[in-house]
Amino acid sequence: MSESFLQVRDLKVHFPVRTGGILIGQYSPLKAVDGVSFDLNPGETLGVVGESGCGKSTLGRAVLQLIGATDGTVSWLGTDLTSLDKKELIAARENLQIVFQDPLASLDPRMTAGDIIAEPLRNYRPAMTKAERRKMVAGMMERVGLLPRMINRYPHEFSGGQCQRIGIARAMILHPKLVVCDEPVSALDVSIQAQVVNLLMDLQRDLGLSLLFISHDLAIVRHISHRVLVLYLGRVMELADKASIYATPHHPYTQALLSAVPIPDPVKERAKERVLLTGDIPSPLYPPSGCVFRTRCPRATAICADEVPQLEQAGAGHDVACHHWNT
Amino acid sequence: MSDAPVTSNLRVPHSDALDKAADVEGRSLWQDAFRRMQANRAAMASAIMLIVLAVVCFVGPLFVPWTYEEIDWDLLEATPPNFELKHYLGTDSLGRDMLARLLQGGQVSFMVGILATSVALVIGVTVGAMAGFIGGRVDQFLMRFVDVMYAVPLMFFIIILMVVFGRNFYLMFLAIGFVEWLTMSRIVRGQTLTLRNKEFIEAARASGGSTTSIIIRHIIPNVLGVVIVYVTLTIPQVILLESFLSFLGLGVQAPMTSWGALIAEGAQEMEITPRTLILPAVCLSTTLFCFNFLGDGLRDALDPKDR
Ligand code: SF4
């Protein structure tokens, strides 16, 4: 079963972007996600990290086919989601849910909390009576730490953290098998972030679901993930078990990201070797040739401009895409 | 899927919490808007005024001793207000009771306004929401069609309809409605386009909603505010359009009348009996004025951010 739970192979999402032309437009592909492959096992959390604009969110949406893939496959329990028609896709989504970044924007302002949480039930359990639905919604609200009495309130009457709990309740009410969390806590106050992350972990344990946890916050990813995937300009830089990637990051980009995370111990913090990233992310419209990270990489050499580094094994369950990872 | 074992995890004892305290009632955006609306005196006064006018027009004729088509054979000419003969506002040049005609004209004007706007509303919202939400070819096709329709001269279109099918009360509603939906559809499409990329629409799709159910459940309730404002601004336009048609002699058929038709009649005798022109003109402009004020007030109330 672990073989065919979720398998993403060479996934590409390109958006045509108008880059010139006055009457007849010239279009270039914006490679938001460019050849990403990974597996996800039942009950596992895969953290996806990277700077903003690296295609993390697009990747999450493409896995659920909320954005169509340009190429590659997303096979879910053995069926390729990219080949399904609309109806089959809707049926498949019963087990695939998503929690969004902006808690308020992801809730319909004209619906009550109860109606929002019940929406998946209305779509997938049409036979349910109103009372049954209400009972289930109330139970779910309690489960995510909301007072069931608030069932008739509207999103604008809740705080950001509470809105996110509503979003989580909506995603969990069908007991899905996979939930994509697209930066679920980055819009929240730091004090609330931990609560929401812990809630997600509790739910994961109780419901046995898999999470695809997208975030730019390495500390949170470290807390929640089993494995971590590092994305840069839509490509996988490094993919490894949590322990292994935090202890021995091989890719220069991962090293730079990790060295930017402050260590609570001031002595260690000062002694730490910093790898500073210079410059900005290049535009995904015109990615550098060869290794996409080469423009900012401290170890770049001539080969990096010519050849695209492939993912290679740097240890058990530790893949890295860099020509010079072991030098 | 088998959700029985998983469900048991979630069966937290919630029922007592539910029973003990009554549910907190939320305040929807509609209620908020209504509250803001109530604070707007001019808009509230307009709304009340319109309701009074409509009620008087539709109920009033029951209390007027004359009907709108009845000719007072004793007079057969324009008479000033005469309480003994129970012509409270006098008669027109044919000796028909002015008050009765004014009320009947009001009925027609209100009905044209509301029915034609409803036609425009249904077509406009459906087409606009579909074009905006589905996008792509459907959008292209529908919007090019709207462009083409815009290019058709409206008056010409209505006049031809009237000539071909004869003067027909309901045809007029349809004709006006068919013309007025164009702008409505563009407005709804624009709103839908901005909504389409909102996360809650994506969330609805992730929750298994089909296109139709998303349009009905999410898009329409969210564009409704703008639509309501536009409707209150369309009604006076339509009333005005009908008046214009009546003025040209293409509106309602005599002896039925509308405010526009009354103004046309009155204009012919305005030097002799200015009363026959002034009375319907005052009614018409008051109504239009109130609708515009109401529309403005609604706009302020419905999206306080956009001011
Ligand atoms: S391949 Fe070259 S440029 Fe890319 S990360 Fe490795 S060393 Fe840096």
Side-chain angles (χ1 to χ4, degrees):
Chain A
M1 181 176 173
S2 67
E3 269 300 293
S4 55
F5 189 67
L6 177 72
Q7 261 185 355
V8 176
R9 285 293 170 267
D10 202 24
L11 185 68
K12 289 183 183 163
V13 182
H14 296 179
F15 300 109
V17 171
R18 198 178 168 132
T19 49
I22 295 163
L23 279 179
I24 303 160
Q26 286 169 351
Y27 292 92
S28 316
L30 186 152
K31 298 176 179 172
V33 173
D34 199 22
V36 170
S37 305
F38 64 87
D39 288 340
L40 189 64
N41 301 318
E44 185 190 40
T45 303
L46 177 68
V48 178
V49 296
E51 289 163 284
S52 56
C54 72
K56 292 172 298 191
S57 299
T58 313
L59 175 64
R61 283 165 169 74
V63 166
L64 299 187
Q65 287 295 298
L66 288 171
I67 294 177
T70 313
D71 199 15
T73 58
V74 177
S75 69
W76 165 252
L77 301 174
T79 40
D80 180 9
L81 294 180
T82 57
S83 67
L84 298 183
D85 65 25
K86 260 192 192 166
K87 271 221 183 97
E88 295 168 324
L89 196 58
I90 288 181
R93 281 201 187 124
E94 185 173 344
N95 284 315
L96 305 167
Q97 288 294 322
I98 179 163
V99 175
F100 290 93
Q101 171 170 18
D102 185 340
L104 192 57
S106 65
L107 307 177
D108 186 334
R110 309 242 172 228
M111 283 168 94
T112 61
D115 286 342
I116 292 170
I117 299 173
E119 186 162 12
L121 291 176
R122 296 210 339 207
N123 288 327
Y124 289 106
R125 310 266 192 280
M128 250 183 162
T129 65
K130 245 187 168 173
E132 284 172 337
R133 230 172 17 221
R134 197 186 145 82
K135 214 171 157 190
M136 204 156 162
V137 168
M140 196 70 220
M141 284 178 80
E142 193 143 351
R143 184 70 189 76
V144 299
L146 291 165
L147 286 174
R149 286 200 289 132
M150 301 293 187
I151 196 162
N152 288 329
R153 289 229 153 183
Y154 288 85
H156 64 106
E157 298 173 294
F158 289 96
S159 69
Q162 288 173 319
C163 282
Q164 197 54 293
R165 287 173 197 268
I166 296 174
I168 291 172
R170 168 177 59 192
M172 301 292 171
I173 196 140
L174 292 170
H175 310 308
K177 298 198 173 101
L178 168 69
V179 175
V180 173
C181 302
D182 181 13
E183 305 238 20
V185 296
S186 59
L188 304 177
D189 278 358
V190 180
S191 56
I192 297 162
Q193 289 189 348
Q195 295 173 11
V196 172
V197 168
N198 287 337
L199 170 66
L200 281 170
M201 290 177 82
D202 285 353
L203 285 166
Q204 172 181 41
R205 198 189 48 232
D206 294 352
L207 303 176
L209 44 89
S210 299
L211 294 181
L212 191 65
F213 192 91
I214 298 165
S215 177
H216 62 261
D217 187 331
L218 284 131
I220 290 176
V221 168
R222 178 179 206 160
H223 185 58
I224 197 171
S225 310
H226 300 112
R227 282 191 302 146
V228 177
L229 184 152
V230 180
L231 213 57
Y232 184 79
L233 277 186
R235 303 209 191 163
V236 180
M237 297 287 110
E238 194 161 8
L239 171 61
D241 291 338
K242 174 175 71 176
S244 163
I245 202 165
Y246 280 91
T248 54
H250 289 309
H251 197 283
Y253 179 58
T254 319
Q255 289 165 355
L257 284 180
L258 282 175
S259 80
V261 178
I263 305 173
D265 181 345
V267 181
K268 279 191 200 160
E269 168 73 24
R270 232 167 287 139
K272 159 174 100 172
E273 189 194 338
R274 274 183 186 271
V275 188
L276 280 182
L277 278 185
T278 48
D280 288 329
I281 290 197
S283 158
L285 265 178
Y286 309 102
S289 64
C291 174
V292 284
F293 186 54
R294 118 184 113 79
T295 48
R296 299 165 78 194
C297 181
R299 284 194 238 156
T301 57
I303 187 177
C304 302
D306 298 334
E307 276 177 45
V308 179
Q310 301 300 321
L311 271 182
E312 54 184 296
Q313 255 200 343
H318 195 139
D319 292 341
V320 59
C322 173
H323 295 300
H324 306 299
W325 66 269
N326 49 3
T327 51
Chain B
M1 75 165 239
S2 61
D3 51 358
V6 202
T7 328
S8 56
N9 279 333
L10 291 171
R11 284 270 152 76
V12 211
H14 59 266
S15 42
D16 34 309
L18 261 181
D19 294 341
K20 255 181 251 152
D23 289 358
V24 178
E25 278 309 317
R27 213 148 40 87
S28 73
L29 294 180
W30 294 119
Q31 286 161 311
D32 273 353
F34 188 63
R35 213 156 293 188
R36 275 195 296 275
M37 181 77 190
Q38 276 176 321
N40 185 337
R41 294 244 183 87
M44 283 315 276
S46 303
I48 292 167
M49 183 78 194
L50 283 174
I51 292 171
V52 169
L53 266 174
V55 169
V56 167
C57 284
F58 283 91
V59 182
L62 300 177
F63 302 100
V64 176
W66 304 88
T67 68
Y68 67 93
E69 51 189 350
E70 217 173 320
I71 294 174
D72 191 339
W73 297 101
D74 301 335
L75 298 170
L76 279 180
E77 59 180 359
T79 339
N82 183 328
F83 281 80
E84 272 157 45
L85 294 173
K86 300 201 170 130
H87 290 302
Y88 301 113
L89 292 176
T91 61
D92 68 1
S93 56
L94 289 179
R96 290 175 296 194
D97 185 58
M98 203 56 210
L99 179 60
R101 288 184 70 69
L102 210 53
L103 296 180
Q104 203 276 328
Q107 280 181 25
V108 171
S109 289
F110 270 108
M111 261 166 60
V112 171
I114 289 164
L115 289 183
T117 307
S118 311
V119 173
L121 180 75
V122 172
I123 306 180
V125 170
T126 317
V127 170
M130 267 179 22
F133 191 70
I134 299 172
R137 291 247 173 91
V138 180
D139 185 23
Q140 286 281 326
F141 175 76
L142 289 175
M143 284 303 115
R144 286 307 79 77
F145 180 70
V146 168
D147 289 345
V148 170
M149 287 291 284
Y150 259 119
V152 176
L154 149 70
M155 272 302 150
F156 204 59
F157 178 70
I158 294 178
I159 291 170
I160 289 178
L161 272 183
M162 295 294 173
V163 170
V164 173
F165 294 101
R167 280 218 248 151
N168 178 327
F169 197 52
Y170 296 100
L171 186 66
M172 196 166 61
F173 295 155
L174 281 179
I176 298 179
F178 267 118
V179 172
E180 290 289 332
W181 70 269
L182 299 172
T183 316
M184 179 75 84
S185 75
R186 279 197 173 165
I187 290 176
V188 172
R189 170 177 174 268
Q191 288 290 315
T192 310
L193 278 180
T194 56
L195 280 175
R196 187 168 70 153
N197 297 322
K198 288 259 167 78
E199 277 188 338
F200 69 84
I201 298 295
E202 213 172 6
R205 206 168 314 136
S207 311
S210 63
T211 304
T212 328
S213 81
I214 292 177
I215 289 182
I216 292 173
R217 234 181 265 166
H218 299 282
I219 300 280
I220 291 187
N222 278 288
V223 297
L224 213 56
V226 181
V227 167
I228 287 176
V229 171
Y230 187 67
V231 161
T232 47
L233 297 175
T234 304
I235 294 177
Q237 269 182 39
V238 169
I239 293 180
L240 210 57
L241 192 59
E242 186 277 332
S243 305
F244 184 57
L245 286 177
S246 297
F247 195 85
L248 290 182
L250 288 168
V252 287
Q253 195 138 26
M256 268 244 255
T257 189
S258 73
W259 283 342
L262 283 174
I263 292 176
E265 277 170 33
Q268 285 162 15
E269 295 141 30
M270 78 184 158
E271 277 147 37
I272 319 160
T273 49
R275 176 175 48 87
T276 50
L277 172 64
I278 293 170
L279 284 174
V282 166
C283 289
L284 184 66
S285 22
T286 314
T287 309
L288 301 186
F289 185 76
C290 287
F291 267 116
N292 283 327
F293 248 97
L294 181 65
D296 256 7
L298 279 173
R299 186 175 50 213
D300 290 350
L302 285 169
D303 37 22
K305 284 167 263 156
D306 291 4
R307 246 184 301 172

